[in-house]
Amino acid sequence: MTLNFKKLAGLFMGALAAFTICTTVSASKTKIADVSQYQGNINWKKAAKDLKYAIIRVQHGDTGDADFRIDSKRNVNANGAKKYGIPFGQYGYAEFSSVADAKKEARDFYKRSNAGARFYVLDNEHRKGSGSEQSYVNAWLSQMRKLTNKPLVYYSYDNYVAVHKINYSKFDGSWIANYSKKPTASADLWQYTSKGRVSGISGNVDLSKALKPSVVNSWFKAASADVAKPTYFTSLPSSKKVTTTRNIYEYRDVNFKKRVTKLTAGKKLTVKKIARSTNGAYRFQLTNGNYITANKAYISD
């Protein structure tokens, strides 16, 4: 059976229109934005048309800082990004006053972050303590390495890095801001404007460009909550003491079938031995006979 010319032309034009719409939508998802409560209520369905990636704020400073605040939109934004398939990382604006404060801020930032975050960012642009800023950065990094296997990224602006001579080579990547030109500091991701526009977001928004796309893409690549396979404690800490870094559950059995109670983040526990479930996962047995996970993403020694 043959088609007449008008029908053939109509089919061709329809296919061309569909192809054009498809490629336009695909091409538009190129922007990388960082967002916080200051962007208000984001329409993530619309934002998903523009955004390739998002970086979402969790907190500004920590308890004890005069201007401390937990970002009121951190969970709303994380859930919106997840719902519309936008891979995201999360960042915390640091206000370190000491090495101990830097470690605490790392623990609290991790505890408040979303499990769906692909990576974590240290936003280091506020000099507060009288000690070495490098020592604070190192302390934050060291503490976060104990809590997660996900990539850890250093953020600051060009001049801050130069003035304080920050060495961030041990991080998994760098994100540097400079709105006049490309940063002189080594950068994988360049925050190039604070006056960008994104569909679904009212007002201005920070936008960034990948200077090293393969590196930046690697931060976002994980399809699940964990970037790497879980790493477990396989032996008892010498102190036989552990601390929960996230909310977890205590179970009566090693296979986690009989839940007993919820344990909040920051809970200190005494453990008496290492056990393994039938599928090989490591568990800590507590002195009361119950079991908790030995996953280092949830427990620290």
Side-chain angles (χ1 to χ4, degrees):
M1 183 170 64
T2 60
L3 294 170
N4 64 36
F5 177 77
K6 287 184 178 180
K7 286 184 178 180
L8 186 61
L11 288 171
F12 174 76
M13 293 305 292
L16 180 61
F19 176 77
T20 301
I21 291 170
C22 181
T23 54
T24 300
V25 170
S26 177
S28 67
K29 291 177 66 69
T30 58
K31 294 181 178 180
I32 304 173
D34 56 280
V35 298
S36 70
Q37 66 187 54
Y38 297 117
Q39 274 66 55
N41 295 319
I42 296 174
N43 184 326
W44 283 96
K45 183 176 181 180
K46 290 183 178 179
K49 297 176 181 178
D50 281 356
L51 291 178
K52 181 178 182 180
Y53 298 135
I55 307 175
I56 298 168
R57 191 179 76 158
V58 170
Q59 63 188 42
H60 180 112
D62 199 9
T63 49
D65 297 323
D67 56 352
F68 163 62
R69 54 191 171 273
I70 298 173
D71 197 289
S72 62
K73 297 291 185 181
R74 74 191 193 285
N75 290 326
V76 171
N77 286 336
N79 291 335
K82 280 193 287 189
K83 182 176 180 179
Y84 292 101
I86 305 169
F88 67 93
Q90 291 195 297
Y91 74 95
Y93 182 100
E95 293 188 330
F96 302 143
S97 58
S98 66
V99 166
D101 182 55
K103 291 180 178 179
K104 179 181 182 299
E105 194 160 322
R107 291 192 296 270
D108 291 345
F109 166 61
Y110 181 73
K111 180 173 65 177
R112 295 173 183 132
S113 65
N114 189 282
R118 306 291 176 88
F119 62 93
Y120 302 105
V121 181
L122 167 59
D123 181 349
N124 177 225
E125 54 180 298
H126 183 176
R127 173 71 173 162
K128 183 179 177 182
S130 58
S132 161
E133 192 69 17
Q134 183 69 59
S135 69
Y136 305 155
V137 170
N138 292 348
W140 185 95
L141 178 64
S142 175
Q143 182 62 60
M144 287 295 289
R145 291 286 190 212
K146 294 178 180 179
L147 299 174
T148 181
N149 294 316
K150 296 180 182 182
L152 301 176
V153 177
Y154 178 83
Y155 170 91
S156 193
Y157 55 91
D158 222 9
N159 187 61
Y160 192 91
V161 170
V163 169
H164 299 291
K165 299 180 174 59
I166 304 298
N167 181 342
Y168 46 88
S169 61
K170 293 184 179 180
F171 282 75
D172 299 302
S174 56
W175 177 26
I176 304 296
N178 196 5
Y179 301 150
S180 59
K181 58 183 179 180
K182 286 185 180 181
T184 56
S186 175
D188 302 310
L189 184 64
W190 169 29
Q191 189 185 81
Y192 67 93
T193 184
S194 60
K195 298 180 180 179
R197 306 293 292 190
V198 172
S199 297
I201 299 179
S202 301
N204 295 330
V205 62
D206 297 339
L207 292 180
S208 298
K209 295 179 181 178
L211 298 180
K212 298 178 182 178
S214 63
V215 174
V216 174
N217 289 340
S218 73
W219 306 343
F220 292 92
K221 70 180 180 180
S224 64
D226 290 322
V227 167
K229 290 182 179 179
T231 57
Y232 294 90
F233 288 96
T234 58
S235 61
L236 285 179
S238 58
S239 65
K240 295 188 179 180
K241 303 286 185 181
V242 297
T243 303
T244 58
T245 56
R246 289 179 181 265
N247 294 344
I248 64 169
Y249 287 95
E250 186 177 325
Y251 295 84
R252 199 176 307 280
D253 65 304
V254 74
N255 289 317
F256 287 2
K257 301 292 185 182
K258 300 175 182 178
R259 184 182 292 177
V260 178
T261 188
K262 184 178 182 179
L263 301 173
T264 58
K267 182 77 172 177
K268 296 185 183 301
L269 303 164
T270 303
V271 293
K272 66 179 183 180
K273 73 174 186 178
I274 284 281
R276 300 188 75 174
S277 69
T278 53
N279 65 4
Y282 287 89
R283 318 292 199 200
F284 279 125
Q285 186 176 31
L286 305 176
T287 51
N288 64 7
N290 293 332
Y291 296 87
I292 61 169
T293 181
N295 188 335
K296 292 183 178 180
Y298 299 90
I299 299 290
S300 67
D301 57 1

